[in-house]
Amino acid sequence: MSETTPSGSTDAELAAQLAEVAGAILLEIRAEGLGIVDGRELGRRGDKAADAYILDRLAELRPDDAVLSEESADDRTRLEASRVWIIDPLDGSKEYGLPGHTDWAVHVALWERGQEITAAAVSQPTLGEVYSSGDSFADVPPNSPLRIVVSGSRPPAFTDDVAAELGAEVIPMGSAGAKAMAVVRGDVDAYLHAGGQWEWDSAAPVGVAAAAGLHCSRIDGSPLRYNESHPYLPDLVICRPELAETILSAIAKHSNESAVSGRVAMAREYVNALLTHDATKVRFAPDAWRVENGERTGDTGAFISDELENGQQYRGIIAIRELTLREWGESVVARYLLDLGTPGQPPAVTVFVTEYFGIPAGEIQSILAIIEPHPNDEETQ
């Protein structure tokens, strides 16, 4: 049941208000910073400002509710709460930092125990639109041919096979919210994703899409569950309800996706960041620490994140090979070969790395790395 504030807002109305104002804040920051600072830094500025606004308003208007936000530390008390707001203050931060892009959004959703998502809003500020689970939605005709939207950077491996079987056109796009709202508007007929997402990526889009009468599920047809111990939710299907059975059958036929846990996914993002120098998708606990070969090399999450992006010791990494990841309990161990040298040239040095990650919740708490010399490939043959 919707709860009202002293101002008379229902949960759905509050979600829409928060998403709209946060979107206005993001537009202002973007107008001031686009072209002046690099896109990644601009996204961080926007994320921080929008997150602070939403958290402040929720603390004022829903003080007894818990919050799970992409930009805030994971407070585990949410697991005992009956009401949890799940927010992504800026979904599509990469697109936000690029001129001319409209495919970024603000997500605000409310999870209630026993009911899943009960109120949600997605704002697309550059379009001047806010979509809410409290809205009335008109029926829209299907496209001919069918149109499927997928991630522009990480489309599912089965995309081409599924599209061929359905005779569908594939459209790449950023932001989960933007893709889901394209289905709500009828611009496309389905949104398919596999390979990694978090609860804040899909909670609000799913809440709005479900209110619009669309089918929403995992790619195997199972329900989407939120406020879980580890907030990793790697795949989803949002589509016109009459297409659900056909699309799910096609995915089952063509998908060979191997599901990984949130802990494994987070450890993999850290290893990838060593090579890309982009730690945007790596979540650290505020007091995270790192030890490499017995030497303390990080005492806070912010420091480790900055080192991944700007530390000169990582600039010589040219390849990461033979990566394996294993999980047990709250820990993940990664083993891989790391090549050092000059891009485009054979590696000057190869080392063998074993890293132990402590990931009790949705953030990396600790990293213990052992780095050993490794013979050149030709010497091992």
Side-chain angles (χ1 to χ4, degrees):
M1 180 179 294
S2 294
E3 173 181 308
T4 59
T5 66
S7 62
S9 297
T10 66
D11 288 324
E13 290 169 341
L14 176 59
Q17 292 164 8
L18 295 176
E20 182 174 19
V21 177
I25 293 170
L26 288 164
L27 283 175
E28 182 177 350
I29 292 172
R30 193 176 194 237
E32 293 175 352
L34 199 59
I36 299 175
V37 296
D38 69 84
R40 190 165 60 193
E41 177 59 27
L42 182 59
R44 286 172 178 162
R45 291 184 186 183
D47 256 327
K48 184 176 180 180
D51 189 56
Y53 165 75
I54 295 172
L55 293 182
D56 285 348
R57 293 294 286 160
L58 287 174
E60 176 187 355
L61 298 174
R62 298 290 192 270
D64 297 327
D65 294 353
V67 178
L68 172 63
S69 169
E70 179 183 19
E71 295 306 309
S72 302
D74 187 2
D75 184 348
R76 302 281 282 176
T77 61
R78 66 180 173 80
L79 298 177
E80 307 301 324
S82 59
R83 290 165 50 94
V84 180
W85 292 87
I86 304 176
I87 64 174
D88 188 344
L90 173 54
D91 183 61
S93 56
K94 176 183 176 182
E95 290 75 18
Y96 175 78
L98 296 173
H101 275 258
T102 63
D103 48 347
W104 54 275
V106 180
H107 300 175
V108 181
L110 174 65
W111 172 93
E112 293 190 77
R113 189 170 301 281
Q115 303 178 70
E116 289 297 322
I117 304 301
T118 58
V122 174
S123 169
Q124 287 193 262
T126 53
L127 301 182
E129 296 288 349
V130 180
Y131 304 88
S132 165
S133 58
D135 292 344
S136 297
F137 298 92
D139 290 334
V140 292
N143 294 283
S144 182
L146 295 178
R147 309 182 85 196
I148 296 173
V149 66
V150 298
S151 168
S153 59
R154 291 189 295 175
F158 54 73
T159 298
D160 290 342
D161 289 335
V162 169
E165 180 162 328
L166 300 176
E169 177 186 359
V170 176
I171 300 170
M173 188 182 296
S175 170
K179 291 190 281 286
M181 294 310 100
V183 188
V184 169
R185 289 191 300 270
D187 297 344
V188 299
D189 303 284
Y191 164 29
L192 310 183
H193 184 80
Q197 274 188 346
W198 300 83
E199 290 188 11
W200 45 77
D201 291 313
S202 66
V206 164
V208 174
L214 298 173
H215 168 88
C216 304
S217 74
R218 300 285 302 274
I219 61 172
D220 63 358
S222 62
L224 293 153
R225 302 294 187 194
Y226 295 90
N227 197 37
E228 296 295 301
S229 176
H230 198 289
Y232 186 65
L233 195 50
D235 54 69
L236 85 165
V237 174
I238 296 176
C239 68
R240 301 177 64 89
E242 67 270 23
L243 298 176
E245 184 176 352
T246 300
I247 288 176
L248 291 172
S249 295
I251 292 174
K253 178 179 178 181
H254 297 291
S255 174
N256 56 5
E257 298 284 335
S258 297
V260 299
S261 73
R263 291 183 175 88
V264 169
M266 186 55 68
R268 185 168 57 194
E269 292 289 1
Y270 174 90
V271 175
N272 288 341
L274 292 170
L275 183 62
T276 65
H277 313 301
D278 182 357
T280 304
K281 296 183 179 297
V282 189
R283 283 174 59 90
F284 293 103
D287 58 348
W289 55 266
R290 180 181 59 197
V291 170
E292 297 174 304
N293 282 4
E295 179 181 352
R296 193 90 167 188
T297 60
D299 289 308
T300 69
F303 177 85
I304 299 171
S305 181
D306 182 70
E307 284 281 287
L308 285 174
E309 297 193 340
N310 302 305
Q312 290 303 309
Q313 68 271 37
Y314 300 125
R315 290 295 164 180
I317 297 174
I318 58 174
I320 291 172
R321 299 182 286 122
E322 300 180 23
L323 173 64
T324 63
L325 299 118
R326 297 288 185 271
E327 176 183 13
W328 71 96
E330 296 181 349
S331 301
V332 174
V333 62
R335 294 187 175 92
Y336 54 93
L337 297 181
L338 187 150
D339 293 333
L340 301 166
T342 302
Q345 300 294 325
V349 177
T350 296
V351 296
F352 184 75
V353 182
T354 303
E355 284 178 317
Y356 299 88
F357 295 86
I359 312 178
E363 304 157 324
I364 296 174
Q365 179 66 54
S366 62
I367 305 167
L368 176 62
I370 300 171
I371 305 168
E372 304 171 88
H374 186 78
N376 292 331
D377 290 344
E378 59 191 47
E379 296 176 354
T380 65
Q381 294 178 355

